[in-house]
Coordinates of all heavy atoms in Angstrom, one line a residue:
L1299 N 80.0 -52.3 -123.5 CA 78.9 -51.4 -123.2 C 77.6 -51.8 -124.1 O 76.5 -51.8 -123.6 CB 79.3 -50.0 -123.4 CG 80.2 -49.4 -122.4 CD1 80.7 -48.0 -122.8 CD2 79.6 -49.3 -121.0
F1300 N 77.8 -51.9 -125.4 CA 76.7 -52.0 -126.2 C 76.7 -53.3 -127.2 O 75.8 -53.5 -127.9 CB 76.6 -50.8 -127.2 CG 77.1 -49.6 -126.6 CD1 78.2 -48.9 -127.2 CD2 76.5 -49.0 -125.5 CE1 78.7 -47.8 -126.6 CE2 77.0 -47.8 -125.0 CZ 78.1 -47.2 -125.5
G1301 N 77.8 -54.0 -127.1 CA 77.9 -55.1 -128.1 C 77.4 -56.4 -127.4 O 76.3 -56.6 -127.0
S1302 N 78.3 -57.4 -127.3 CA 77.9 -58.7 -126.9 C 77.7 -58.7 -125.4 O 77.1 -59.7 -124.8 CB 79.0 -59.7 -127.3 OG 80.3 -59.3 -126.7
E1303 N 78.2 -57.7 -124.6 CA 78.1 -57.7 -123.2 C 77.5 -56.4 -122.6 O 78.2 -55.7 -121.9 CB 79.5 -58.0 -122.6 CG 80.1 -59.3 -123.0 CD 81.5 -59.4 -122.4 OE1 81.7 -59.2 -121.2 OE2 82.5 -59.7 -123.2
P1304 N 76.3 -56.0 -123.0 CA 75.8 -54.8 -122.5 C 75.5 -54.9 -121.0 O 75.1 -55.9 -120.5 CB 74.5 -54.6 -123.2 CG 74.1 -56.0 -123.6 CD 75.4 -56.7 -123.9
D1305 N 75.8 -53.8 -120.2 CA 75.7 -53.9 -118.8 C 74.4 -53.2 -118.3 O 74.1 -53.2 -117.1 CB 76.9 -53.4 -118.0 CG 77.2 -51.9 -118.3 OD1 76.4 -51.3 -119.0 OD2 78.2 -51.4 -117.9
G1306 N 73.7 -52.5 -119.2 CA 72.4 -51.8 -118.8 C 72.6 -50.7 -117.8 O 71.7 -50.4 -117.0
K1307 N 73.8 -50.1 -117.8 CA 74.0 -49.0 -116.8 C 74.4 -47.7 -117.6 O 74.7 -47.7 -118.7 CB 75.2 -49.4 -115.9 CG 74.9 -50.6 -115.1 CD 76.1 -51.0 -114.2 CE 75.8 -52.2 -113.3 NZ 77.0 -52.6 -112.5
L1308 N 74.2 -46.6 -116.8 CA 74.6 -45.3 -117.3 C 76.1 -45.0 -117.0 O 76.5 -45.2 -115.9 CB 73.7 -44.2 -116.6 CG 74.1 -42.8 -116.9 CD1 73.9 -42.4 -118.3 CD2 73.3 -41.9 -115.9
H1309 N 76.8 -44.6 -118.0 CA 78.2 -44.3 -117.8 C 78.5 -42.8 -118.1 O 78.0 -42.3 -119.1 CB 79.1 -45.1 -118.8 CG 79.0 -46.6 -118.5 ND1 80.1 -47.3 -117.9 CD2 78.0 -47.5 -118.6 CE1 79.8 -48.6 -117.8 NE2 78.5 -48.7 -118.2
V1310 N 79.3 -42.2 -117.3 CA 79.8 -40.8 -117.5 C 81.3 -40.8 -117.4 O 81.8 -41.2 -116.3 CB 79.1 -39.8 -116.6 CG1 79.5 -38.4 -117.0 CG2 77.6 -39.9 -116.6
Y1311 N 82.0 -40.3 -118.4 CA 83.4 -40.2 -118.3 C 83.8 -38.7 -118.3 O 83.5 -38.0 -119.2 CB 84.0 -40.8 -119.6 CG 83.7 -42.3 -119.8 CD1 82.5 -42.6 -120.4 CD2 84.6 -43.3 -119.4 CE1 82.1 -44.0 -120.6 CE2 84.2 -44.6 -119.5 CZ 83.0 -45.0 -120.1 OH 82.7 -46.3 -120.3
F1312 N 84.5 -38.3 -117.2 CA 85.0 -36.9 -117.1 C 86.5 -37.0 -117.5 O 87.3 -37.5 -116.7 CB 84.8 -36.4 -115.6 CG 83.4 -36.3 -115.2 CD1 82.8 -37.3 -114.5 CD2 82.6 -35.2 -115.6 CE1 81.4 -37.1 -114.1 CE2 81.3 -35.0 -115.2 CZ 80.7 -36.0 -114.5
F1313 N 86.8 -36.5 -118.7 CA 88.1 -36.7 -119.2 C 89.1 -35.7 -118.6 O 88.8 -34.6 -118.2 CB 88.1 -36.5 -120.7 CG 87.2 -37.5 -121.5 CD1 86.1 -37.0 -122.2 CD2 87.4 -38.8 -121.4 CE1 85.3 -37.9 -122.9 CE2 86.6 -39.7 -122.1 CZ 85.6 -39.3 -122.8
D1314 N 90.3 -36.2 -118.5 CA 91.5 -35.3 -118.1 C 92.0 -34.6 -119.3 O 92.8 -35.1 -120.1 CB 92.5 -36.2 -117.4 CG 93.7 -35.4 -116.9 OD1 93.6 -34.1 -116.9 OD2 94.7 -36.0 -116.5
V1315 N 91.5 -33.3 -119.4 CA 91.9 -32.5 -120.6 C 92.7 -31.3 -120.2 O 92.8 -30.3 -121.0 CB 90.6 -32.1 -121.4 CG1 90.0 -33.3 -122.0 CG2 89.6 -31.3 -120.5
G1316 N 93.3 -31.3 -119.0 CA 94.0 -30.1 -118.6 C 93.0 -29.1 -118.1 O 92.0 -29.4 -117.6
Q1317 N 93.4 -27.8 -118.3 CA 92.5 -26.7 -117.9 C 91.4 -26.5 -118.9 O 91.5 -25.8 -119.9 CB 93.3 -25.4 -117.7 CG 92.5 -24.2 -117.2 CD 91.9 -24.6 -115.8 OE1 92.5 -25.4 -115.0 NE2 90.8 -24.0 -115.5
G1318 N 90.4 -27.2 -118.7 CA 89.2 -27.2 -119.6 C 88.2 -28.2 -119.1 O 88.2 -28.7 -118.0
D1319 N 87.2 -28.5 -120.0 CA 86.1 -29.4 -119.7 C 85.8 -30.3 -120.8 O 85.6 -29.8 -122.0 CB 84.9 -28.6 -119.3 CG 84.6 -28.6 -117.8 OD1 84.5 -29.7 -117.2 OD2 84.5 -27.5 -117.2
A1320 N 85.5 -31.6 -120.5 CA 85.0 -32.5 -121.5 C 84.5 -33.7 -120.8 O 85.2 -34.3 -119.9 CB 86.1 -32.9 -122.6
A1321 N 83.3 -34.2 -121.1 CA 82.7 -35.3 -120.5 C 81.9 -36.1 -121.5 O 81.2 -35.4 -122.4 CB 81.9 -35.0 -119.3
L1322 N 81.8 -37.4 -121.4 CA 81.0 -38.2 -122.3 C 80.0 -38.9 -121.5 O 80.3 -39.6 -120.5 CB 81.9 -39.2 -123.1 CG 81.1 -40.2 -124.0 CD1 80.5 -39.5 -125.2 CD2 82.0 -41.3 -124.4
I1323 N 78.7 -38.8 -121.9 CA 77.6 -39.6 -121.3 C 77.2 -40.7 -122.3 O 77.1 -40.5 -123.5 CB 76.3 -38.7 -121.2 CG1 76.7 -37.5 -120.2 CG2 75.1 -39.5 -120.7 CD1 75.6 -36.4 -120.2
V1324 N 77.1 -41.9 -121.7 CA 76.7 -43.1 -122.5 C 75.5 -43.7 -121.8 O 75.7 -44.2 -120.7 CB 77.9 -44.1 -122.7 CG1 77.4 -45.3 -123.6 CG2 79.1 -43.4 -123.3
S1325 N 74.4 -43.7 -122.4 CA 73.2 -44.3 -121.8 C 73.2 -45.8 -121.8 O 73.9 -46.4 -122.6 CB 71.9 -43.7 -122.4 OG 71.7 -44.4 -123.6
P1326 N 72.4 -46.5 -121.0 CA 72.3 -47.9 -121.1 C 71.9 -48.4 -122.5 O 72.3 -49.5 -122.9 CB 71.2 -48.3 -120.1 CG 71.2 -47.2 -119.1 CD 71.5 -45.9 -119.9
K1327 N 71.2 -47.6 -123.2 CA 70.8 -48.0 -124.6 C 71.9 -47.7 -125.6 O 71.7 -48.1 -126.8 CB 69.5 -47.2 -124.9 CG 68.7 -47.8 -126.1 CD 67.4 -47.0 -126.2 CE 66.6 -47.6 -127.3 NZ 65.2 -47.0 -127.4
G1328 N 72.9 -47.0 -125.2 CA 74.0 -46.6 -126.2 C 73.9 -45.3 -126.7 O 74.8 -44.9 -127.6
T1329 N 73.0 -44.4 -126.3 CA 72.9 -43.0 -126.8 C 74.1 -42.3 -126.2 O 74.4 -42.4 -125.0 CB 71.6 -42.4 -126.4 OG1 70.5 -43.2 -126.9 CG2 71.5 -41.0 -126.9
T1330 N 74.8 -41.5 -127.0 CA 76.0 -40.8 -126.5 C 75.8 -39.3 -126.6 O 75.3 -38.7 -127.6 CB 77.2 -41.2 -127.3 OG1 77.0 -41.0 -128.7 CG2 77.5 -42.7 -127.1
V1331 N 76.3 -38.6 -125.6 CA 76.3 -37.1 -125.5 C 77.7 -36.6 -125.0 O 78.1 -37.0 -124.0 CB 75.2 -36.6 -124.5 CG1 75.2 -35.1 -124.5 CG2 73.9 -37.1 -124.9
L1332 N 78.3 -35.8 -125.8 CA 79.6 -35.2 -125.4 C 79.3 -33.8 -124.9 O 78.7 -33.0 -125.6 CB 80.6 -35.1 -126.6 CG 81.9 -34.5 -126.3 CD1 82.8 -35.4 -125.4 CD2 82.7 -34.2 -127.6
V1333 N 79.7 -33.6 -123.6 CA 79.5 -32.3 -123.0 C 80.8 -31.5 -123.0 O 81.7 -31.9 -122.2 CB 78.9 -32.5 -121.5 CG1 78.6 -31.1 -120.9 CG2 77.7 -33.3 -121.5
D1334 N 80.9 -30.6 -123.9 CA 82.1 -29.8 -124.1 C 83.3 -30.7 -124.6 O 83.2 -31.9 -124.6 CB 82.6 -29.1 -122.8 CG 81.7 -28.0 -122.4 OD1 81.1 -27.3 -123.3 OD2 81.4 -27.8 -121.2
A1335 N 84.3 -30.0 -125.2 CA 85.3 -30.8 -125.9 C 86.7 -30.3 -125.6 O 87.6 -30.5 -126.3 CB 85.1 -30.6 -127.4
G1336 N 86.9 -29.7 -124.4 CA 88.2 -29.4 -123.9 C 89.0 -28.3 -124.8 O 88.5 -27.9 -125.8
P1337 N 90.2 -27.9 -124.4 CA 91.0 -27.0 -125.1 C 91.6 -27.7 -126.3 O 91.7 -28.9 -126.4 CB 92.0 -26.5 -124.1 CG 92.2 -27.7 -123.2 CD 90.8 -28.4 -123.1
Q1338 N 92.2 -26.9 -127.2 CA 92.9 -27.4 -128.4 C 94.0 -28.4 -128.0 O 94.3 -29.4 -128.7 CB 93.5 -26.2 -129.2 CG 94.3 -26.7 -130.4 CD 93.6 -27.5 -131.4 OE1 92.4 -27.3 -131.6 NE2 94.3 -28.6 -131.9
S1339 N 94.7 -28.1 -126.8 CA 95.8 -28.9 -126.4 C 95.3 -30.4 -126.1 O 96.2 -31.3 -126.0 CB 96.5 -28.3 -125.2 OG 95.5 -28.1 -124.1

């Protein structure tokens, strides 16, 4: 994503956290935003 092979694309990962919510945004420039962090489990 950001090292020797940047792809210049926007990535969003919707994680499988069970009954809850967590997603990671990674911009083409490498800026990262975590949207929610799921349950304790």
